[in-house]
């Protein structure tokens, strides 16, 4: 079974900080990697698909990189509205998907 | 733009069944899949299953495949997920989501979520 491992599980950062979240797949998934942001009490929101394609309306401070098994989500300058939980998801095995366990970004 | 509106919160007893609906509006109900994702309180996202709107093919996660049934009604643009033999660990928010970004099949549109509580 495909496993997705995110690190760290949580982090504390200040407004303006550069933040990087890592996602590792247990097998090669090419660029079939998506990133979501979820705020408390809300449905997840798609930020990036295909590892690096930013969704319409998502601020350019968000970026994604990687291919194969190792991927990153970077927020170049953390804003107050970015404090949330972030999930990676592999879609290589569609129609079966796997999420990472999530990374909670908290205010320092 | 597609919108997904889910049915309201449910409280069920252990052993019962629950059926959650997900009504699509704003675009043609075709050429994509509807996925079901759940999130237990304080936990992460768990993919449960997928149904093709076009041909009703389904795929389920192994841990629920014996208890879950997914269907669609194209006449009302509505998808349904029924979970049987409910247990306390089925208590979660259940989301539906479309996967329209072929070939990468990311979940681009989500419903608002339906809270299902299983308690005696």
């Amino acid at each position: 079974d495909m496993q997705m491992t995110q690190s760290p599980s949580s982090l504390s950062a200040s407004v303006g900080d550069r933040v990087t979240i890592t996602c590792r797949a247990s097998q090669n998934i090419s660029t079939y990697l998506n990133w979501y942001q979820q705020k408390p009490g809300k449905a997840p929101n798609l930020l990036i698909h295909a590892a690096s394609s930013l969704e319409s309306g998502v601020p350019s401070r968000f970026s994604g990189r990687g291919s194969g098994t190792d991927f990153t989500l970077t927020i170049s300058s953390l804003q107050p509205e970015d404090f949330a939980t972030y999930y990676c998801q592999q879609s290589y095995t569609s129609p079966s998907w796997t999420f990472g366990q999530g990374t909670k970004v908290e205010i320092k | 733009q597609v919108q997904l509106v889910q049915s309201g919160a449910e409280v069920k007893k252990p052993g019962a069944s629950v059926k959650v609906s997900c009504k699509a509006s704003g675009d043609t109900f075709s050429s994509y899949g509807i996925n079901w994702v759940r999130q237990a309180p304080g936990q992460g996202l768990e993919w449960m299953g997928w149904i093709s709107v076009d041909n009703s093919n389904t795929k389920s996660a192994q841990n629920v495949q014996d208890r879950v049934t997914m269907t669609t009604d194209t006449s009302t643009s509505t998808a349904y997920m029924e979970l049987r033999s409910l247990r306390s660990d089925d208590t979660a928010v259940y989301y539906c989501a479309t996967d329209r970004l072929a070939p990468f099949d990311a979940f681009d549109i989500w419903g608002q979520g339906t809270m299902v509580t299983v308690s005696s």
Side-chain angles (χ1 to χ4, degrees), chain A residues 25 33 92 108:
Chain A
L33 191 284
Y92 185 79
K108 183 182 283 185

Side-chain angles (χ1 to χ4, degrees), chain B residues 1-76:
Chain B
Q1 174 73 308
V2 173
Q3 285 188 303
L4 300 177
V5 177
Q6 299 183 222
S7 48
E10 302 264 13
V11 179
K12 297 291 183 181
K13 293 192 182 302
S17 298
V18 68
K19 192 170 186 177
V20 179
S21 68
C22 171
K23 183 174 175 61
S25 63
D27 198 359
T28 306
F29 193 62
S30 66
S31 304
Y32 55 82
I34 296 283
N35 292 270
W36 292 92
V37 176
R38 69 180 178 180
Q39 186 171 37
Q43 302 301 307
L45 302 172
E46 178 191 10
W47 175 78
M48 294 181 63
W50 162 88
I51 182 166
S52 167
V53 169
D54 284 344
N55 57 27
S56 295
N57 285 347
T58 61
K59 177 87 171 176
S60 306
Q62 278 194 321
N63 65 329
V64 296
Q65 64 182 12
D66 294 336
R67 299 191 293 131
V68 70
T69 300
M70 292 166 289
T71 56
T72 59
D73 181 344
T74 54
S75 69
T76 60

Side-chain angles (χ1 to χ4, degrees), chain A residues 1 31-32 34 36 38 41-46 49-50 55 87 89 91 94-101, chain B residues 35 37 39 43-47 49-50 59-60 62 95 99 101 103-108 110-113:
Chain A
D1 281 2
T31 57
Y32 286 76
N34 313 306
Y36 300 85
Q38 187 181 33
K42 300 294 187 182
N45 180 52
L46 179 65
H49 75 275
E55 301 308 307
Y87 294 91
Q89 177 206 41
S91 50
S94 171
S96 175
W97 290 259
T98 315
F99 289 95
Q101 81 277 17
Chain B
N35 292 270
V37 176
Q39 186 171 37
Q43 302 301 307
L45 302 172
E46 178 191 10
W47 175 78
W50 162 88
K59 177 87 171 176
S60 306
Q62 278 194 321
Y95 295 102
D99 58 25
L101 297 175
F104 292 96
D105 296 340
F107 296 177
D108 59 326
W110 293 70
Q112 83 276 18

Side-chain angles (χ1 to χ4, degrees), chain A:
Chain A
D1 281 2
M2 184 78 71
Q3 305 292 328
M4 305 300 293
T5 304
Q6 286 182 236
S7 60
S9 296
S10 65
L11 65 90
S12 294
S14 301
V15 173
D17 283 353
R18 182 182 181 89
V19 167
T20 297
I21 298 167
T22 297
C23 179
R24 176 163 289 174
S26 59
Q27 302 168 38
N28 185 347
I29 58 169
S30 183
T31 57
Y32 286 76
L33 191 284
N34 313 306
W35 289 99
Y36 300 85
Q37 177 192 66
Q38 187 181 33
K39 296 182 178 179
K42 300 294 187 182
N45 180 52
L46 179 65
L47 296 177
I48 288 170
H49 75 275
S52 61
S53 293
L54 204 65
E55 301 308 307
S56 174
V58 175
S60 59
R61 62 180 179 272
F62 289 91
S63 64
R65 295 187 64 181
S67 66
T69 60
D70 293 318
F71 302 86
T72 58
L73 172 70
T74 297
I75 309 171
S76 60
S77 177
L78 199 64
Q79 298 302 300
E81 60 268 31
D82 302 335
F83 292 95
T85 301
Y86 295 85
Y87 294 91
C88 64
Q89 177 206 41
Q90 69 82 20
S91 50
Y92 185 79
T93 58
S94 171
S96 175
W97 290 259
T98 315
F99 289 95
Q101 81 277 17
T103 296
K104 187 173 184 179
V105 176
E106 298 176 300
I107 302 172
K108 183 182 283 185

